[in-house]
């Protein structure tokens, strides 16, 4: 609370961009200066600032994701502790509800796939449905182009997609059950 009050007292005027740049620089400087266990304090500070300086917090989060992407692209083993701290900060930002779960899942999928072409919209249900279909088809030994949603009668293993995931666009309840 004391740090938040002190940061709020900095000159945040439009003509003076010195204070926001300074705060952003030192919030994202997580090399060896930040203790891993205390990264929640940085997220707490950003959460408190979000009430008053939302555009600044969005800019800091955007810069954080850009820094993560650039460290992944460089692929330098000496930057692994920095990358771990950055991803931990993303998790803490999610805990403080500054980052949506879809963004977190997209980022995690991008980390796994190293920013491949399939990283777009990884957190959506339709993408998860496609991944499940392909893994079940690969388990069955089918071609990836001929994926069916119905269970075949000749299956002995009984591997079948759960009914809730058979069609992610379909509602779980009938439309006439809306006013129960």
């Amino acid at each position: 609370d004391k740090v938040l009050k002190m940061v709020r007292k900095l000159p945040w005027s439009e003509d003076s961009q010195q204070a926001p740049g300074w705060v952003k620089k030192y919030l994202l400087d997580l090399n060896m200066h930040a203790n891993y266990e205390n990264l929640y304090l940085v997220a707490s500070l950003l959460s408190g600032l979000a009430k008053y300086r939302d555009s600044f917090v969005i800019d800091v989060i955007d810069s954080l994701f850009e820094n993560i992407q650039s460290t992944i692209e460089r692929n330098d083993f000496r930057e692994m502790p920095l990358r771990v701290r950055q991803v931990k900060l993303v998790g803490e930002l999610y805990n403080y509800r500054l980052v949506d779960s879809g963004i977190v899942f997209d980022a995690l999928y991008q980390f796994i796939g190293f920013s491949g072409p399939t990283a777009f919209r990884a957190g959506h249900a339709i993408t998860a449905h496609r991944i499940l279909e392909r893994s079940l088809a690969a388990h069955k030994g089918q071609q990836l182009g001929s994926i069916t949603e119905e269970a075949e009668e000749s299956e002995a293993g009984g591997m079948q997609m759960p009914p809730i995931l058979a069609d992610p666009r379909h509602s779980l309840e009938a439309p006439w059950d809306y006013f129960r």
Side-chain angles (χ1 to χ4, degrees):
D1 292 335
K2 292 179 183 179
V3 176
L4 176 63
K5 289 180 184 177
M6 290 172 57
V7 170
R8 284 185 54 212
K9 290 180 182 179
L10 291 174
W12 291 91
S13 63
E14 295 294 326
D15 53 338
S16 172
Q17 290 294 325
Q18 193 173 12
W22 179 81
V23 172
K24 178 179 166 184
K25 176 184 173 188
Y26 287 105
L27 279 177
L28 294 177
D29 185 25
L30 300 174
N31 271 335
M32 297 299 160
H33 307 294
N35 189 357
Y36 182 79
E37 288 82 19
N38 293 334
L39 283 176
Y40 73 94
L41 295 172
V42 176
S44 174
L45 176 66
L46 285 173
S47 175
L49 276 176
K51 297 174 185 172
Y52 307 102
R53 306 284 177 202
D54 57 345
S55 61
F56 171 75
V57 173
I58 291 170
D59 189 33
V60 169
I61 292 172
D62 186 45
S63 297
L64 176 65
F65 280 109
E66 287 177 8
N67 288 346
I68 291 172
Q69 181 65 32
S70 66
T71 56
I72 288 175
E73 289 172 356
R74 279 194 298 265
N75 200 16
D76 188 5
F77 69 93
R78 293 173 290 187
E79 293 178 340
M80 292 293 181
L82 170 65
R83 193 177 309 152
V84 169
R85 285 182 177 89
Q86 288 171 336
V87 173
K88 164 84 170 170
L89 182 57
V90 169
E92 293 296 335
L93 290 174
Y94 173 74
N95 287 342
Y96 280 93
R97 298 174 189 249
L98 292 175
V99 177
D100 191 23
S101 63
I103 295 173
V104 172
F105 286 126
D106 285 343
L108 289 175
Y109 196 76
Q110 187 176 16
F111 300 158
I112 293 170
F114 183 56
S115 71
T118 59
F120 179 66
R121 299 181 74 174
H124 293 284
I126 295 173
T127 308
H129 176 68
R130 287 185 196 136
I131 292 170
L132 280 173
E133 279 184 340
R134 289 183 181 173
S135 67
L136 286 175
H139 184 71
K140 291 179 185 178
Q142 296 176 350
Q143 296 293 328
L144 289 180
S146 62
I147 298 174
T148 60
E149 293 181 0
E150 294 84 347
E152 296 179 9
E153 310 302 341
S154 62
E155 285 184 353
M159 282 291 294
Q160 184 180 358
M161 188 175 296
I164 198 167
L165 296 174
D167 186 9
R169 290 181 221 135
H170 189 269
S171 62
L172 296 177
E173 297 179 354
W176 53 84
D177 285 344
Y178 185 73
F179 295 107
R180 273 200 271 172

